[in-house]
Amino acid sequence: MQAQAVDTAPGRLRRWLDELPVGLAPLLIAATGLIAGLYLLVHPVPGQRADLTMWVFGALHADAYQAAAGSFAADTDRTVDVQLINYNAVNQKLRSALWAAVNVPDLVEIEKSAAGGFFRGPLDKVGFLDLKPYLERDAILDRVPAHALAAYTDRGAVFGVPHDIHPVLLAYRADIIDPYLARRGLRMEDLATWDDYFRELRGLLVPDERYLLQIEYGDAWAFQIFLMQRGGGIFGPDGRLRMDDDIAVATMTWMIPLVAESGDRKVAESLGNWDPSFYRGFIEGYYIAALCPDWRSSQIQTFAKELHGKLRVAPLPAPVPGGLRTSQMGGTMLGIARAAKDPELAWRFAKSIYYGSPEQHGRLFRTTNILTPDRRAWSDPAYHEPRPYWSGQALGEQFIAVADEVPPFYSSGFLPSAQAKLNEAIVSCYSRYRSHGADGFEAYVRQRLTSAADYVRRQMAREPDWDAEE
Amino acid sequence: MRRMVVYTLLVLFALLCLVPIAWLAASAFKANADFHVYPVLPPVDRLTLANFTSLFTQMPFLRFMMNSFFVAGATVILQLFFSSLGGFALAKYDFAGKKTVMGVMLATMMIPGPVLLAPMYELIYHMGLIDSHLGLIVPGMVNVFGMFLFRQSMLSVPDEMLQAARIDGCNEFQIFWHVVMPVSRPIVGAFCLIAFMGTWNSFLWPQIILQSSDRFTLPIGLNQMIGVYEADYGAMMAGTLLAVLPVVALFFLLQKEFIAGLTKGAVKG
């Protein structure tokens, strides 16, 4: 009787828990799972079946296309399900879908450096439709700079249409540079070559406190911009690897000393390309200029608000007098899957979002600063309005001015591998210059690039000759 | 004196380990405009709850959380059931081909996951489980690592106990449930926590299988905030902070069982 009197509810629970063969852990986990399951049961996911499915990896793109899908549905009575998928996952997911030949989206956006990987294999087995006939039929080819299609063209077929062309300009601290140059009777636009740039601004250089340019030597990002500006590239138009040609050697031999020299001979530095410290360095004037594709100008606006009214853009100084004053970096394509249920309908939607009204592109430019390759849209006022953040410059006009000169970028299925080897070569050249200086540097660069390129060539040699198989 | 030095070093090391967590927590309360301006913490009057508010207003964060709890809960319980049963069979029964079965199981652990993505994707598609939580739960129901963990633990259960239970009239499942599992409780706790963390943080497979945002688990939902041209760092940090909390809470609730499981057999009794 006495024992029963002290057998309280907590006591019973404790005993029951003690006697439970599996203990507390599964009980707790099962309880949370059960509660969540009940929640999901009373909040079911609404089913939807659309006429077209589209995968997109950029949130801003997804928002814009969802809005466009609404208008498209009103005009055509056909629906489009725009699905936002993380940038890193979209390629993996698409590859799985294409390999397994199941659940392939009708339309998909792919980042430029990954695009080439999807064009491998016999032409008629590539997972995307050749859009060239569509572009020709609807007279769109004339509206798009030819270089914009280069990355998505393989063996004559155009497997993707470009969302952007991403010209590169120089974003610089106008509050620091312009008054300095003005005192010397110069303007930024007068600095026609990189030699001019570093020479005329040398007075602003303070070792360990202020550098003239932001260059991240640890990845190939800046190197590729300089390489393309000099007319080089990782791959050529014929798919040939050219990352160790004379232009690449000259670019590396020129670029590395900018960051690897010591004392006041070092003119460039970086605190990172993609992390908060990049913006911090720009805000604090640790570097006073940065390579700036159109999309990066939007990131700078968002994350370096303190620089409002202090920045301007200018054409890139050229490698040599009369040389190219721009380059390009990044890009996105839109492809239509060969397995699309209704390719014509998919093309209609693709056309409506990529080659729609100028106002539509103008809206995108106001939000993202991204320049469309559709020349017809460049007349929209959005590209010509002054931007207070950029010291009142009409940002769109600056990018449009160099848009047709943007060098072509050639894609390849081996691009990620080549970029990885290029990164290794850059880091290695940097270390070599730090330890040995200019002595024998060019020979070292050539040997290092050749070795990296040979590695990629060996991989490429294992690729079957698709055209011969056909 | 020596003890003081050791403790000081340990405290310093613990503080060092906590730096990323502290940075995460501080960042969760920073406005986006301050994110790159104040590397550590902005002045108190600039701290904001806006990131947490936007998590629940700009995106279906509660839904992501519920999806994660459901998937993790169901997967762990099923994994526990099947892995412990498998471990029991491997530890306590002799059958033809047992060594081969174990060899094949070991071999499957050595195959890199990404290699299996395409065939798995096709299989799950043909099972009609694409874009469903079952597509996450079903492939995760059995865990080879868990089976080996339980096998090793159950090897130490004396066969005489099983014989005694048989003589008392227990069937084989009753022996498993009433005799073997209670002895394996410490391992159950450790396994549950490890499996829960694994499922809770799982990214690649859910990213491939799930398509409707209403079915996204937390890691997938949070990852949507990282765009190519933009990223909502503040909301991401707030979301990550909230996503970490259930695992931390579970660890504190179960730490006795977890540590007992990991140290089982370490001290000879």
Side-chain angles (χ1 to χ4, degrees), chain A residues 251-391:
Chain A
T251 308
M252 187 80 88
T253 312
W254 171 79
M255 185 190 91
I256 291 294
L258 302 178
V259 277
E261 274 286 5
S262 313
D264 62 0
R265 293 195 304 275
K266 177 188 170 91
V267 291
E269 182 53 287
S270 177
L271 295 177
N273 260 342
W274 312 113
D275 34 39
S277 45
F278 162 72
Y279 304 101
R280 193 83 223 134
F282 217 10
I283 291 166
E284 291 185 352
Y286 186 61
Y287 26 76
I288 53 177
L291 302 169
C292 188
D294 51 359
W295 49 267
R296 198 182 209 194
S297 69
S298 158
Q299 290 184 340
I300 292 172
Q301 270 176 240
T302 307
F303 295 118
K305 294 202 189 301
E306 289 83 350
L307 294 180
H308 189 278
K310 295 178 180 174
L311 289 180
R312 290 184 84 231
V313 289
L316 287 186
V320 291
L324 205 56
R325 302 289 305 262
T326 188
S327 185
Q328 70 136 305
M329 182 47 65
T332 299
M333 66 158 254
L334 172 65
I336 296 178
R338 194 179 288 278
K341 294 178 284 290
D342 186 344
E344 198 59 47
L345 185 71
W347 172 247
R348 275 180 73 183
F349 184 65
K351 215 167 52 161
S352 77
I353 54 176
Y354 269 44
Y355 304 104
S357 68
E359 297 77 34
Q360 182 184 317
H361 290 295
R363 277 196 298 276
L364 186 72
F365 183 75
R366 281 196 184 99
T367 330
T368 63
N369 291 354
I370 291 171
L371 185 68
T372 172
D374 186 355
R375 278 201 198 86
R376 205 179 62 173
W378 295 350
S379 57
D380 186 78
Y383 296 97
H384 306 279
E385 57 202 24
R387 295 287 195 91
Y389 184 90
W390 296 95
S391 310

Side-chain angles (χ1 to χ4, degrees), chain B:
Chain B
M1 182 61 189
R2 192 170 155 225
R3 178 178 277 199
M4 219 171 83
V5 172
V6 170
Y7 275 97
T8 310
L9 285 174
L10 285 175
V11 168
L12 282 175
F13 187 69
L15 287 175
L16 202 67
C17 292
L18 285 174
V19 167
I21 309 286
W23 186 84
L24 171 74
S27 304
F29 295 94
K30 276 191 235 176
N32 260 334
D34 292 340
F35 206 83
H36 304 300
V37 181
Y38 300 100
V40 187
L41 208 58
V44 178
D45 60 327
R46 292 190 70 90
L47 292 177
T48 174
L49 288 173
N51 295 325
F52 293 93
T53 316
S54 81
L55 274 185
F56 292 94
T57 52
Q58 309 290 317
M59 63 191 296
F61 189 79
L62 180 65
R63 176 112 208 168
F64 293 160
M65 202 139 202
M66 287 299 169
N67 289 336
S68 272
F69 270 122
F70 175 66
V71 171
T75 308
V76 171
I77 296 304
L78 288 167
Q79 257 186 27
L80 173 67
F81 182 67
F82 289 114
S83 301
S84 56
L85 266 182
F88 176 58
L90 289 171
K92 292 298 168 193
Y93 294 98
D94 282 321
F95 52 88
K98 181 173 161 180
K99 281 190 176 165
T100 313
V101 168
M102 285 182 51
V104 170
M105 282 168 53
L106 267 178
T108 62
M109 287 174 76
M110 291 166 200
I111 300 172
V115 173
L116 300 173
L117 283 179
M120 282 274 285
Y121 188 85
E122 188 173 2
L123 185 67
I124 291 297
Y125 174 81
H126 289 300
M127 288 170 77
L129 299 181
I130 293 279
D131 198 23
S132 75
H133 289 152
L134 276 179
L136 304 178
I137 295 168
V138 171
M141 283 196 319
V142 181
N143 180 331
V144 177
F145 163 75
M147 281 170 76
F148 273 93
L149 196 71
F150 280 107
R151 175 187 176 269
Q152 291 309 110
S153 161
M154 289 170 179
L155 279 174
S156 63
V157 180
D159 289 341
E160 290 75 10
M161 281 176 70
L162 276 64
Q163 289 296 358
R166 282 189 190 108
I167 290 166
D168 285 346
C170 284
N171 63 30
E172 295 306 300
F173 186 79
Q174 284 171 326
I175 292 172
F176 162 74
W177 189 248
H178 292 296
V179 178
V180 179
M181 283 307 272
V183 181
S184 307
R185 265 180 68 163
I187 284 294
V188 171
F191 174 78
C192 281
L193 199 59
I194 293 168
F196 186 83
M197 275 165 54
T199 319
W200 186 262
N201 296 326
S202 173
F203 178 75
L204 186 61
W205 184 243
Q207 180 71 73
I208 287 171
I209 283 294
L210 300 177
Q211 282 168 199
S212 314
S213 58
D214 281 335
R215 292 193 179 91
F216 283 176
T217 53
L218 265 177
I220 314 302
L222 290 176
N223 232 272
Q224 299 300 315
M225 293 185 203
I226 309 171
V228 183
Y229 304 115
E230 76 298 318
D232 188 349
Y233 290 112
M236 237 161 63
M237 296 302 148
T240 308
L241 189 67
L242 292 183
V244 167
L245 289 181
V247 180
V248 173
L250 199 67
F251 177 79
F252 281 116
L253 278 170
L254 302 176
Q255 65 171 320
K256 230 169 82 181
E257 292 191 44
F258 180 65
I259 292 164
L262 291 188
T263 54
K264 191 185 177 210
V267 182
K268 206 175 164 86

Side-chain angles (χ1 to χ4, degrees), chain A residues 50-342:
Chain A
D51 296 304
L52 292 172
T53 306
M54 180 178 192
W55 290 358
V56 182
F57 61 82
L60 284 171
H61 291 207
D63 292 344
Y65 302 158
Q66 266 150 6
S71 321
F72 189 72
D75 294 344
T76 62
D77 203 25
R78 308 296 285 274
T79 51
V80 185
D81 179 16
V82 179
Q83 297 175 0
L84 177 65
I85 296 170
N86 177 264
Y87 164 66
N88 293 314
V90 71
N91 299 331
Q92 195 66 57
K93 194 171 171 120
L94 183 63
R95 211 172 294 280
S96 299
L98 287 173
W99 282 350
V102 291
N103 201 37
V104 181
D106 299 279
L107 302 107
V108 61
E109 279 194 338
I110 304 173
E111 203 271 331
K112 183 186 270 177
S113 59
F118 291 99
F119 305 155
R120 292 165 74 172
L123 269 177
D124 61 343
K125 295 284 191 298
V126 173
F128 292 105
L129 279 182
D130 177 9
L131 298 178
K132 201 170 176 181
Y134 294 84
L135 289 164
E136 283 170 346
R137 186 191 69 192
D138 294 349
I140 291 175
L141 277 179
D142 302 336
R143 284 158 57 182
V144 179
H147 64 74
L149 291 169
Y152 315 122
T153 303
D154 195 297
R155 289 164 283 170
V158 179
F159 291 120
V161 285
H163 172 267
D164 33 52
I165 45 180
H166 296 326
V168 180
L169 296 175
L170 192 71
Y172 71 96
R173 290 289 300 267
D175 57 330
I176 298 171
I177 292 181
D178 282 351
Y180 176 80
L181 286 177
R183 284 198 294 276
R184 312 176 69 207
L186 288 167
R187 293 172 316 134
M188 189 63 168
E189 287 74 8
D190 299 330
L191 310 183
T193 65
W194 283 112
D195 285 346
D196 295 343
Y197 177 82
F198 290 120
R199 187 184 60 248
E200 296 300 339
L201 294 179
R202 178 153 286 276
L204 287 172
L205 178 73
V206 183
D208 297 327
E209 285 180 30
R210 174 171 294 162
Y211 292 94
L212 304 182
L213 185 63
Q214 183 259 339
I215 301 180
E216 178 72 35
Y217 71 85
D219 69 44
W221 195 80
F223 178 77
Q224 280 187 79
I225 288 175
F226 293 132
L227 182 66
M228 294 176 70
Q229 195 190 11
R230 287 169 177 252
I234 299 180
F235 285 90
D238 47 3
R240 189 177 52 85
L241 186 71
R242 52 175 302 196
M243 61 186 267
D244 57 343
D245 65 8
D246 288 345
I247 299 177
V249 172
T251 308
M252 187 80 88
T253 312
W254 171 79
M255 185 190 91
I256 291 294
L258 302 178
V259 277
E261 274 286 5
S262 313
D264 62 0
R265 293 195 304 275
K266 177 188 170 91
V267 291
E269 182 53 287
S270 177
L271 295 177
N273 260 342
W274 312 113
D275 34 39
S277 45
F278 162 72
Y279 304 101
R280 193 83 223 134
F282 217 10
I283 291 166
E284 291 185 352
Y286 186 61
Y287 26 76
I288 53 177
L291 302 169
C292 188
D294 51 359
W295 49 267
R296 198 182 209 194
S297 69
S298 158
Q299 290 184 340
I300 292 172
Q301 270 176 240
T302 307
F303 295 118
K305 294 202 189 301
E306 289 83 350
L307 294 180
H308 189 278
K310 295 178 180 174
L311 289 180
R312 290 184 84 231
V313 289
L316 287 186
V320 291
L324 205 56
R325 302 289 305 262
T326 188
S327 185
Q328 70 136 305
M329 182 47 65
T332 299
M333 66 158 254
L334 172 65
I336 296 178
R338 194 179 288 278
K341 294 178 284 290
D342 186 344

